[in-house]
Amino acid sequence: MSHSIDELITLMARLRDKEHGCPWDLKQSFETIAPYTLEEACEVAEAIERQDYLNLREELGDLLFQVIFHAQMASESELFNFTDITEGLLAKLLRRHPHVFPDGSLESFSSPDKLSPEEVKQKWQEIKAEEKKQKGQKLSESALPDDLPGTLPTLQRAEKIQAAAARVGFDWPEAELVFDKIQEELAEIHEARAESQERISEEVGDLLFACVNLARHLGVDADMSLRKACHKFDGRFRKMEALAATNDRAFEQLTLEEMENYWQQIKSE
């Protein structure tokens, strides 16, 4: 471990020192810290989305500190420590990259086998399955994953489910067919409007699922794309409000046509 990591581990231990530590840090548990861990991971993703790499460095530090915090609490309970985490991670990555480290050691590093990214991903899945088997864990009887975390963003969950189904051949052969599926789902939403809110909700879900499928076929991260769209809309809308204010107009009092004119003006900048 580097000197700075050692110091961070020492700092965390002192923050949790029962006699002289920080009252807030001492009060925390795995359960209370978990939401902060998720928040820090989201802030890392947001910094990447904004291409704010100076802030990314800081956010990655905050996320690393979450790992150190959890490791300290685990060490206090004699479950594991930070070294156990890093050693386990190193062993797993060496084991799952046999095309780069043939005998599972850093010293065996050599020119990787000529595998495509898809082939690497397939081998990764096979190795994961073998690891579960060796640990005595029951393998899923379905091709679909049964170990997705409940906190996983829904768009990512949809993509992972679709990708798993695709690995066993249940997939659209080309993106053009997904466009057709989206049109079909849109038509079904129109039909559902004459029925019930429950049916509308179901059909909207099908449309969103189809959109994730399209993103996957086009090689686009649906969750990140939606993040960027939200960020873009947020920025443009705020500029519209500011533009209205410079014209001494209350935004909510504008007509829809005036709002659209502002929107087009901001888009053209």
Side-chain angles (χ1 to χ4, degrees), residues 12 16 22-36 69 73 76:
M12 187 69 252
R16 294 273 297 181
C22 169
W24 187 89
D25 290 287
L26 281 166
K27 186 180 178 181
Q28 304 313 309
S29 66
F30 291 120
E31 291 75 18
T32 62
I33 289 297
Y36 294 101
F69 205 137
M73 292 187 291
E76 293 166 4

Side-chain angles (χ1 to χ4, degrees), residues 7 70 113 150 156 237 250:
E7 289 181 330
H70 285 286
D113 294 340
Q156 290 184 19
F237 190 87

Side-chain angles (χ1 to χ4, degrees), residues 253-265:
Q253 294 177 352
L254 296 175
T255 66
L256 186 57
E257 183 180 0
E258 288 173 320
M259 290 181 182
E260 177 63 21
N261 288 336
Y262 277 129
W263 180 262
Q264 293 301 327
Q265 184 175 340

